[in-house]
Amino acid sequence: MYRHLLDIAVGGMGEVDLVIRTDGPLERLFARKRLRPEYRADLEVKRMFLDEVRLAGMVRHPNVVPVVDVGEDDQGPFFIMEYVEGVTAAELLLSFLDENKGMPLGVCLE
């Protein structure tokens, strides 16, 4: 069972929140992505979301956050990803743009 802690982001058709899972004495943070409420009854959007889950679950790369669980509850389908603390790539890029600088090549390559 995952317990909601706080909202992280809202995008086109989905929203991501920080959740915690407790297994005995172990507590661990995860990111949960699910459909936004206005799309949960739309079968076509739900199909696209489930396609995203399936494709994301097949990707294995050090720069891609892995999917670790998939489920559905009274709020619809969701998937669970490792939670990576830090700034987003967009926030990092904007910080350089705000300073009127280009992002250094080393940062881009990393």
Side-chain angles (χ1 to χ4, degrees):
M1 183 71 166
Y2 300 95
R3 185 170 46 90
H4 176 270
L5 296 177
L6 61 95
D7 298 332
I8 296 175
V10 177
M13 70 176 185
E15 55 191 22
V16 179
D17 57 336
L18 181 65
V19 296
I20 190 168
R21 180 175 180 159
T22 304
D23 286 321
L26 178 65
E27 290 186 334
R28 190 158 170 210
L29 297 175
F30 292 95
R32 174 178 57 196
K33 183 172 185 180
R34 65 168 68 245
L35 286 172
R36 289 175 34 190
E38 62 267 30
Y39 295 119
R40 291 178 187 157
D42 186 321
L43 294 179
E44 180 63 18
V45 174
K46 186 175 180 179
R47 184 192 61 74
M48 291 188 306
F49 181 81
L50 294 174
D51 282 346
E52 177 185 349
V53 173
R54 182 180 55 77
L55 292 170
M58 293 173 23
V59 175
R60 299 286 184 266
H61 189 277
N63 295 339
V64 176
V65 178
V67 173
V68 297
D69 197 8
V70 178
E72 187 161 354
D73 58 18
D74 59 340
Q75 297 179 47
F78 62 85
F79 63 99
I80 303 294
M81 301 166 285
E82 295 287 339
Y83 173 66
V84 179
E85 190 171 353
V87 298
T88 67
E91 291 168 334
L92 184 60
L93 177 59
L94 286 174
S95 72
F96 286 101
L97 292 176
D98 287 346
E99 296 175 13
N100 237 357
K101 297 178 182 177
M103 189 179 292
L105 180 60
V107 174
C108 293
L109 294 174
E110 183 63 31

